[in-house]
Amino acid sequence: MTTHPTPRSDETTYLLAGGGTAGHVNPLLAVADGLRSRASDAKVLVLGTREGLEARLVPERGYELLFVDKVPFPRRPDAAAARFPVRFGRAVAQVRAHIRERGVDVVVGFGGYASAPAYVAASRERVPYVVHEANAKPGLANILGARGARGAGTVFEGTPLRGSRVVGMPLRREIVDLDPAARRDAAAASFGLDPERPILLVFGGSLGARRLNEAFAAGWSAVTDAGWQILHAAGERNDVVDPGHPAYRIVPYLDRMDDAFAVADAIVSRAGAATVSEISALGIPAVYVPYAVGNGEQALNAASAVRAGAARMIPDAAFTADRIRGEIVPLLADADALARMRAQAAGVGTRRGTENVIAMIDDALAVGRSRRPRRPRRP
């Protein structure tokens, strides 16, 4: 078999597929930024749907977005299931056309509606592809895609994905580069908090978390009486009544999560994959209250940090003001326990997720180029 020299970076075209939610789009964009930072002349394209969050975020970040039809996997034998084979076949054909027209060298999938047809199209075009799974419970597209992938990476230990290895979460640059000690004073001032006193960060996503809001509305004073301050992101639509206490700051939304993390000595939050990854990477002790809706993904996301001793977990239904008084406050008063949690976070979190995924892509490219001749590019 004839081998081909490794092309220069300007001869490499990457197609990153994924979208729908921030959980898929954000790691995709982190990898795109990493590829462009490493070699400014690398061609990075993104594949997504017109309906997903990527339709807005990808062009805003300066990347070209190629479209594929959104074709949900059928969940029941109905009319949509009968139409699925034709619709999915059309989506695969769309991606194959993109691969041919753009001379794509490697496909990277992050899950979501765009990834499934991308994996099939890449396989049929004999283009190597890799899979990244952000959640401890993998999605169907990635489960199927991992069967033929040149590499599969996960964020959490124990994720049941064929042939995978733990590579971590590709994180936003502002999190990767964060120096909490250097930023603490300015960040605390921006929230009206005292940087000399410990701060508990509480948040549940952009819409807040009703269970967290209700529990802290009744139990916040136990935290402040213990000498701690609270920064509570209650959500853009919330009915939390601000008591006006100087040590309890309630905001609807955190525009700068890096500033919030810079002041956080401990955290109470939901357990989305990105949230757990960022908190672990920064080594912040956490108590996770997983969102109870769905298939238990958030509890699984938090499980490895809990097993390692980097975090604790309280079920959503059990999280009350009494639990704040009886479990959160004693933890905040135990400096040795918090120090152990910080140390253990180093074993479950990483700030090198982007570099690890790019290394996986490079490995797939190296194998792919040794096995297939390079197609001529269209002008």
Side-chain angles (χ1 to χ4, degrees):
M1 178 181 292
T2 302
T3 59
H4 299 265
T6 301
R8 299 187 312 274
S9 60
D10 61 347
E11 296 177 338
T12 303
T13 298
Y14 306 86
L15 181 63
L16 310 187
T21 66
H24 294 136
V25 178
N26 287 337
L28 182 155
L29 289 174
V31 171
D33 290 348
L35 290 168
R36 188 164 61 180
S37 174
R38 182 177 69 165
S40 59
D41 50 6
K43 183 140 185 154
V44 181
L45 305 170
V46 178
L47 179 75
T49 69
R50 290 176 172 82
E51 298 86 357
L53 196 60
E54 66 272 18
R56 176 174 61 85
L57 295 182
V58 169
E60 284 180 356
R61 192 70 71 88
Y63 295 102
E64 183 178 0
L65 179 63
L66 308 179
F67 289 110
V68 62
D69 290 346
K70 176 181 176 180
V71 186
F73 284 108
R75 302 293 181 181
R76 58 181 64 88
D78 54 14
R83 294 191 297 270
F84 176 79
V86 172
R87 295 184 63 208
F88 187 75
R90 186 181 303 122
V92 170
Q94 291 169 350
V95 185
R96 293 185 74 176
H98 290 318
I99 290 173
R100 292 174 182 173
E101 291 169 4
R102 301 306 184 98
V104 170
D105 295 290
V106 63
V107 172
V108 188
F110 294 84
Y113 293 114
S115 292
Y119 299 144
V120 175
S123 179
R124 292 179 181 174
E125 290 295 316
R126 299 184 64 199
V127 169
Y129 71 87
V130 301
V131 172
H132 182 268
E133 176 56 58
N135 287 293
K137 185 172 185 178
L140 183 56
N142 282 350
I143 291 174
L144 297 175
R147 296 175 181 177
R150 290 274 167 77
T154 64
V155 173
F156 302 110
E157 287 281 359
T159 301
L161 194 66
R162 181 175 179 178
S164 64
R165 66 179 188 269
V166 176
V167 296
M169 178 74 82
L171 301 176
R172 296 171 289 172
R173 203 72 236 169
E174 59 265 30
I175 301 300
V176 172
D177 296 336
L178 181 63
D179 182 347
R183 289 278 294 281
R184 183 178 179 90
D185 286 0
S190 72
F191 295 120
L193 296 170
D194 181 356
E196 300 300 321
R197 296 174 58 203
I199 298 170
L200 175 67
L201 172 63
V202 180
F203 66 97
S206 61
L207 298 179
R210 181 181 295 275
R211 186 75 65 177
L212 270 62
N213 289 351
E214 291 175 348
F216 274 92
W220 65 269
S221 60
V223 177
T224 58
D225 288 348
W228 281 63
Q229 303 168 98
I230 305 172
L231 174 59
H232 182 180
E236 294 176 308
R237 295 190 298 272
N238 71 80
D239 53 7
V240 177
V241 177
D242 189 339
H245 193 284
Y248 184 24
R249 297 297 186 187
I250 300 175
V251 297
Y253 183 72
L254 292 164
D255 293 314
R256 292 289 303 269
M257 276 305 301
D258 51 337
D259 279 347
F261 285 142
V263 302
D265 297 288
I267 290 175
V268 175
S269 75
R270 290 303 198 193
T275 295
V276 174
S277 298
E278 291 177 347
I279 292 172
S280 296
L282 295 171
I284 306 172
V287 175
Y288 294 115
V289 185
Y291 192 39
V293 175
N295 297 314
E297 295 94 340
Q298 288 206 357
L300 292 172
N301 291 342
S304 58
V306 173
R307 284 195 302 268
R312 297 183 183 180
M313 183 160 47
I314 299 176
D316 181 82
F319 193 76
T320 62
D322 284 341
R323 205 66 181 261
I324 292 173
R325 300 182 190 102
E327 186 166 339
I328 303 295
V329 170
L331 173 62
L332 299 180
D334 190 339
D336 290 340
L338 293 175
R340 288 193 298 270
M341 293 171 76
R342 291 188 195 97
Q344 292 304 115
V348 294
T350 179
R351 299 195 194 195
R352 293 191 56 80
T354 296
E355 290 84 353
N356 292 341
V357 172
I358 290 176
M360 188 169 61
I361 297 169
D362 289 342
D363 290 344
L365 271 169
V367 174
R369 282 166 175 154
S370 70
R371 292 184 179 179
R372 70 182 176 94
R374 191 173 174 82
R375 295 188 304 273
R377 297 185 180 277
R378 296 190 178 187

